[in-house]
Amino acid sequence: MITFKKPIMKNLKIAVSAAALVCAILLFNSCRPKNAGSAVNSDAAAKAYVAPGKYDEFYNFVSGGFSGQMSVYGLPSGRLLKVVPIFSVDPEKGYGYSEETKPMLNTSHGFVPWDDQHHLELSQTNGEIDGRWIFANANNTPRVARVDLTTFRTAEIIELPNSAGNHSSPFITENTEYVVAGTRFSVPPDDANGDVPISTYKQNFKGYLSFISVGKADGKMDIAFQLRCPGVNFDLSHSGKGVSNGWFFFSCYNSEQANTLLEVNASQRDKDFIMAVNWKKAEEYLKAGKGRKQAVKYAHNVYDEKNHTATSEIRTEVTVLDVSDLKDICYMIPCPKSPHGCDVDPTGEYIVGSGKLAALVPVFSFTKMQKAIADKAYDGDYEGIPVIKYEAALHGEVKKPGLGPLHTEFDGRGNAYTTFFVSSEVVKWSIADLKVLDRVPTYYSVGHLCIPGGDTKKPNAKYLIAYNKITKDRYLPTGPELAQSAQLYDISGEKMQLILDFPTIGEPHYAQAVAASVIRDKSVKFFKIDENSNPYVSKGEGTTKVVREGNKVHVNMTCIRSHFSPDNIEGIRAGDEVYFHVTNLEQDWDVPHGFAIKGADNAELLIMPGETQTLKWIAEKSGMYPFYCTDFCSALHQEMSGYLRVSPAGSNVPISFSTGKTAPKTDSTATK
Ligand code: K7E
Ligand code: CUA
């Protein structure tokens, strides 16, 4: 996070003057006759109001930052609809705790229960959101995930070799051919000896970009190829579209290749770069066999909704194209002052770079860039990559827009909206003439912003949401840590209008939003029990069983309102590993059952209708262990419970199980 003394003063000034303005408007309004009715000053609360029982107009998918999850809100109400665990375990849903979901978090480093999730991108067809999947990045242990929007569950996670800090990800091409992932930290490649002095950065460190292909029908991800690039920090990215389809743009900083005190040493050069990547060209080289196979190790995890089970596979090879050998894949465009956001307008012609320390916003033209390449209008090269002359690619600069530009989205009406972290504001400007049209304060220190479809060919620009890093005085105090937040603006008119604040989970970075109608009707309501192919499924109470295999005991059980079957289990011995395979027999919407047992050292299970989930539980010592349903499912939910008896190790109490019998069929009076 960037902080400067002076700009904070400026923040306050802006905040104060904004407050004064709001007061003035309020005063003005209250003096007016009631029927004067002004569209501009109409009640903001009414605009965000969604009546009880009514649906929101948009889904808003918000990254969770250091929570590792994604939250889903309704807009314009700001209602929290769901938290989808992606890279972090979630005891609420048993994600990462059930035997079925544990493999989702497997990596080449073993099981990793947490990550830092920054960016989300909805799948697109012809540059429009198609509502099938949403992709997410893991910034710490580099991975990309795909969430299925029929189930709102994580369907697939792929790890990225040769990478460290997967930040410029998971941006997609206009037909979701590829999801890209650019490494934030350059490091020695995985097949090189990484045990080298850090001061050998310039010789030994490289930056890799991964191009992950996405299956057209099933969304399955695969690393198609990686580009081996100079050792810099790749920061953000967006794909070309329309005229620039076939290209990708990556912002990068630390072109100084510093390895210490980056805040000073990576801010030496006046300009870093936006790297333009011709991925169609890269595909040609790949076809021509120019790729080199490299031995690596990375995990690929897939969740199968037929057996409700994830599998994890370790892969061992990746194909690498070296961009300093293959000349016409990459071009560097100089971009002032440590660029962060790298955003492409709906036509694909304009590429906006946001230098974190810059006091202007450069806008590049794809057509000019192509001409510059044709004319070889270069200023030398950067490690073998041609550096296009700044002016040759420049459409123009937005002058004095604000301080600390970070990210830009578009409304499809010729306007761009850029966030300014340092001066805490969103600024609307015109792409054609680069004139500032409007500015609104944010509270405070805005990072990303989102307009529904705002990075696609077809924005649906009724609202703009700002995601703020600091809330300070906006909410009731909650101890040392305060909520971070989103702010909703109506941008349907010429001037932006703040209409709602709502707190977020974790730290919001990028977000996506789409009209609810694109997703709403595809929602899965329950899983068909007939299609459940989990090896431990019980499709009816008649097939439940308890089976001992050495010191492992498998309990195949069912649940339905309002009992478990079996609900009395005996013959378990201290030291046993018990696997509760619980099948939810319900075939109705919104009837999950939970499963929890005393002493469990992991979490509960939350089992969707028609699904089987497994909790591993160690019978630590002899005694009586109640289990129960955790999700209030019926009037007799509190009755939905059972007992498991654990006898001492070596006991001869036979396995028995039952439901609804007062006298067990086996002799439970035998205690030893
Ligand atoms: Cu928060 Cu996109 Cu990681 Cu900017 S990044 S704010
Ligand atoms: Cu099932 Cu409560």
Side-chain angles (χ1 to χ4, degrees):
M1 199 176 287
I2 321 156
T3 44
F4 295 100
K5 277 231 169 83
K6 229 169 125 195
I8 281 177
M9 292 289 295
K10 175 144 185 184
N11 270 356
L12 290 176
K13 253 192 241 161
I14 288 175
V16 168
S17 59
L21 185 69
V22 169
C23 286
I25 291 169
L26 286 177
L27 283 172
F28 184 57
N29 261 355
S30 60
C31 298
R32 296 173 85 178
K34 275 259 170 344
N35 59 3
S38 148
V40 180
N41 296 329
S42 71
D43 188 4
K47 290 188 172 180
Y49 183 72
V50 177
K54 292 281 182 245
Y55 282 157
D56 274 292
E57 203 182 335
F58 291 91
Y59 282 102
N60 185 199
F61 300 92
V62 184
S63 61
F66 44 72
S67 82
Q69 303 168 334
M70 170 180 83
S71 41
V72 185
Y73 294 86
L75 294 179
S77 72
R79 292 169 180 166
L80 174 63
L81 305 177
K82 191 174 182 77
V83 176
V84 180
I86 303 178
F87 297 112
S88 290
V89 294
D90 183 358
E92 178 196 331
K93 300 174 188 70
Y95 181 81
Y97 292 100
S98 71
E99 294 306 297
E100 283 81 1
T101 55
K102 276 178 186 172
M104 288 304 282
L105 299 176
N106 190 42
T107 71
S108 62
H109 307 273
F111 181 83
V112 173
W114 171 89
D115 217 298
D116 183 15
Q117 199 279 300
H118 284 219
H119 305 123
L120 297 166
E121 182 93 79
L122 285 157
S123 57
Q124 295 177 21
T125 302
N126 298 324
E128 282 184 67
I129 295 169
D130 59 25
R132 299 202 288 170
W133 310 298
I134 189 162
F135 297 90
N137 75 317
N139 192 36
N140 185 43
T141 302
R143 284 168 289 169
V144 168
R146 179 173 57 89
V147 173
D148 187 319
L149 292 178
T150 63
T151 57
F152 283 64
R153 305 213 285 192
T154 305
E156 189 177 6
I157 294 181
I158 196 161
E159 194 183 358
L160 305 165
N162 294 318
S163 303
N166 171 36
H167 197 259
S168 40
S169 165
F171 300 97
I172 61 164
T173 50
E174 64 175 41
N175 280 300
T176 320
E177 294 96 336
Y178 292 109
V179 178
V180 298
T183 192
R184 170 181 174 186
F185 302 105
S186 282
V187 287
D190 288 3
D191 63 345
N193 177 14
D195 179 22
V196 294
I198 298 168
S199 60
T200 63
Y201 184 112
K202 288 188 169 81
Q203 300 92 277
N204 291 323
F205 291 39
K206 290 286 165 200
Y208 279 71
L209 307 180
S210 306
F211 281 73
I212 302 161
S213 60
V214 178
K216 263 209 173 349
D218 59 9
K220 282 273 170 66
M221 299 189 288
D222 196 8
I223 302 178
F225 59 92
Q226 289 192 315
L227 299 182
R228 179 184 162 104
C229 302
V232 294
N233 290 55
F234 289 103
D235 202 18
L236 276 144
S237 173
H238 263 101
S239 87
K241 52 172 95 75
V243 286
S244 56
N245 184 31
W247 289 74
F248 242 103
F249 305 94
F250 291 85
S251 59
C252 46
Y253 60 102
N254 192 23
S255 55
E256 296 85 350
Q257 303 192 319
N259 58 277
T260 180
L261 214 61
L262 263 59
E263 64 171 331
V264 177
N265 295 330
S267 308
Q268 297 298 308
R269 294 168 64 126
D270 188 48
K271 293 191 176 69
D272 290 283
F273 300 114
I274 284 177
M275 190 169 88
V277 178
N278 184 342
W279 59 263
K280 293 251 164 141
K281 195 84 207 171
E283 280 183 334
E284 284 171 25
Y285 281 130
L286 198 69
K287 275 211 193 91
K290 303 277 185 187
R292 177 176 62 84
K293 302 266 186 235
Q294 188 194 324
V296 289
K297 239 181 106 179
Y298 64 97
H300 180 216
N301 313 329
V302 178
Y303 195 83
D304 179 348
E305 288 293 10
K306 287 279 175 268
N307 58 16
H308 310 292
T309 304
T311 46
S312 177
E313 175 202 353
I314 295 290
R315 298 207 175 158
T316 54
E317 196 178 76
V318 73
T319 306
V320 177
L321 297 169
D322 194 325
V323 306
S324 46
D325 298 343
L326 305 167
K327 287 297 176 209
D328 40 5
I329 300 180
C330 294
Y331 300 88
M332 294 296 203
I333 308 171
C335 188
K337 309 272 179 202
S338 305
H340 186 58
C342 180
D343 300 290
V344 181
D345 89 309
T347 67
E349 169 63 16
Y350 300 106
I351 302 116
V352 180
S354 295
K356 300 186 288 277
L357 306 177
L360 55 82
V361 176
V363 181
F364 301 100
S365 150
F366 180 73
T367 310
K368 283 182 135 185
M369 185 196 111
Q370 292 303 303
K371 183 163 187 306
I373 293 171
D375 297 348
K376 296 206 162 24
Y378 299 146
D379 254 342
D381 71 301
Y382 184 82
E383 295 206 3
I385 301 176
V387 176
I388 295 173
K389 284 196 160 71
Y390 178 68
E391 284 75 19
L394 190 71
H395 162 59
E397 295 169 342
V398 186
K399 306 276 191 210
K400 299 219 164 82
L403 290 171
L406 289 186
H407 299 283
T408 300
E409 291 265 283
F410 305 90
D411 66 5
R413 302 187 286 260
N415 305 307
Y417 301 73
T418 301
T419 55
F420 291 84
F421 176 83
V422 177
S423 54
S424 274
E425 57 189 331
V426 174
V427 175
K428 174 181 177 181
W429 50 275
S430 148
I431 302 171
D433 61 12
L434 306 164
K435 291 267 181 319
V436 170
L437 302 173
D438 189 24
R439 57 179 72 236
V440 283
T442 61
Y443 304 96
Y444 305 92
S445 301
V446 59
H448 274 276
L449 78 171
C450 162
I451 289 172
D455 66 343
T456 69
K457 281 164 123 173
K458 288 263 174 65
N460 186 351
K462 186 168 180 184
Y463 301 111
L464 177 156
I465 315 101
Y467 299 96
N468 304 316
K469 306 297 189 191
I470 298 170
T471 48
K472 292 272 186 238
D473 51 5
R474 298 295 281 186
Y475 297 111
L476 284 173
T478 51
E481 199 212 359
L482 300 168
Q484 298 177 40
S485 89
Q487 292 191 292
L488 183 69
Y489 297 83
D490 178 347
I491 59 164
S492 56
E494 255 169 54
K495 297 288 171 190
M496 297 176 272
Q497 185 194 5
L498 176 62
I499 57 175
L500 184 74
D501 276 19
F502 58 98
T504 60
I505 291 171
E507 180 182 357
H509 295 265
Y510 198 29
Q512 295 268 284
V514 63
S517 58
V518 176
I519 290 173
R520 192 182 57 203
D521 301 332
K522 301 180 200 164
S523 222
V524 166
K525 295 198 163 58
F526 56 86
F527 298 107
K528 293 197 180 103
I529 187 82
D530 294 341
E531 293 174 3
N532 182 328
S533 59
N534 187 290
Y536 298 99
V537 65
S538 299
K539 296 195 177 179
E541 295 187 3
T543 61
T544 58
K545 58 186 176 184
V546 179
V547 179
R548 173 177 291 284
E549 290 169 4
N551 75 330
K552 288 192 172 65
V553 179
H554 290 278
V555 179
N556 294 15
M557 62 197 290
T558 60
C559 54
I560 192 161
R561 281 163 290 181
S562 301
H563 62 274
F564 290 101
S565 187
D567 67 0
N568 279 206
I569 301 167
E570 304 191 11
I572 307 300
R573 301 178 198 135
D576 281 349
E577 249 173 44
V578 183
Y579 293 85
F580 296 98
H581 308 286
V582 190
T583 300
N584 181 347
L585 295 177
E586 306 279 357
Q587 292 288 273
D588 199 357
W589 193 20
D590 195 25
V591 199
H593 292 286
F595 177 84
I597 180 163
K598 187 185 171 191
D601 63 358
N602 39 22
E604 68 156 350
L605 296 174
L606 192 63
I607 313 125
M608 297 305 125
E611 185 183 41
T612 304
Q613 288 286 290
T614 300
L615 191 78
K616 178 181 172 184
W617 179 81
I618 307 291
E620 201 199 336
K621 53 180 191 274
S622 67
M624 193 56 69
Y625 294 85
F627 53 87
Y628 71 100
C629 170
T630 51
D631 188 330
F632 208 108
C633 50
S634 72
L636 296 174
H637 154 82
Q638 284 298 87
E639 283 71 8
M640 192 166 175
S641 61
Y643 287 105
L644 179 128
R645 172 186 169 193
V646 177
S647 305
S651 133
N652 61 4
V653 176
I655 291 278
S656 72
F657 57 96
S658 63
T659 311
K661 292 196 174 67
T662 45
K665 54 189 169 199
T666 45
D667 180 10
S668 69
T669 54
T671 52
K672 285 270 173 247

